[in-house]
């Protein structure tokens, strides 16, 4: 997986992330989602956007939030992006 960021200098860069495979959540509703969660955490993502109900489960949301990764659905992400000034994108 690659992670893209827009640093303060305004240039995009990508970083290859190899997930550890371990999420630390004792019971995920769908173990196939574990690599997605691990990649977001290992890649230090700010946001994990998904419409997958398992990723939006309160336990997953709380766990990711405790590690600095906000889990939101696609509608909330679009709303948030619409509210940001163009220069910030």
């Amino acid at each position: 997986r690659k992670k893209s960021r827009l640093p303060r200098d305004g240039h995009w860069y990508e970083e290859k992330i190899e997930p550890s495979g371990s999420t630390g959540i004792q019971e995920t509703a769908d173990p196939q989602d574990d690599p997605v969660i691990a990649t977001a955490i290992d890649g230090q993502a700010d946001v994990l956007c998904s419409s997958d109900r398992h990723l939006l489960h309160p336990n997953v949301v709380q766990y990711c939030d405790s590690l600095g990764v906000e889990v939101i659905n696609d509608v909330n992400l679009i709303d948030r992006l619409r509210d940001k000034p163009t220069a910030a994108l």
Side-chain angles (χ1 to χ4, degrees), residues 14-31:
E14 292 184 344
E15 176 184 350
K16 186 175 181 179
I17 303 298
E18 295 293 334
S20 65
S22 173
T23 62
I25 300 176
Q26 293 297 324
E27 297 178 22
T28 55
D30 184 356

Side-chain angles (χ1 to χ4, degrees), residues 6-54:
L6 183 61
R8 290 185 181 166
D9 65 5
H11 294 88
W12 285 98
Y13 72 90
E14 292 184 344
E15 176 184 350
K16 186 175 181 179
I17 303 298
E18 295 293 334
S20 65
S22 173
T23 62
I25 300 176
Q26 293 297 324
E27 297 178 22
T28 55
D30 184 356
Q32 291 183 346
D33 290 335
D34 288 355
V36 176
I37 297 166
T39 300
I41 292 165
D42 292 346
Q44 299 175 340
D46 297 320
V47 174
L48 171 58
C49 177
S50 179
S51 58
D52 184 312
R53 66 183 173 89
H54 299 118

Side-chain angles (χ1 to χ4, degrees), residues 45 60 64 79:
V60 174
C64 290
D79 287 343

Side-chain angles (χ1 to χ4, degrees), residues 26-87:
Q26 293 297 324
E27 297 178 22
T28 55
D30 184 356
Q32 291 183 346
D33 290 335
D34 288 355
V36 176
I37 297 166
T39 300
I41 292 165
D42 292 346
Q44 299 175 340
D46 297 320
V47 174
L48 171 58
C49 177
S50 179
S51 58
D52 184 312
R53 66 183 173 89
H54 299 118
L55 290 173
L56 294 168
H57 188 277
N59 290 347
V60 174
V61 171
Q62 182 179 9
Y63 175 76
C64 290
D65 188 54
S66 74
L67 296 170
V69 179
E70 182 181 11
V71 181
I72 60 175
N73 65 30
D74 52 341
V75 173
N76 289 340
L77 179 63
I78 289 171
D79 287 343
R80 183 177 299 176
L81 292 172
R82 284 184 181 147
D83 290 341
K84 285 195 176 252
T86 306

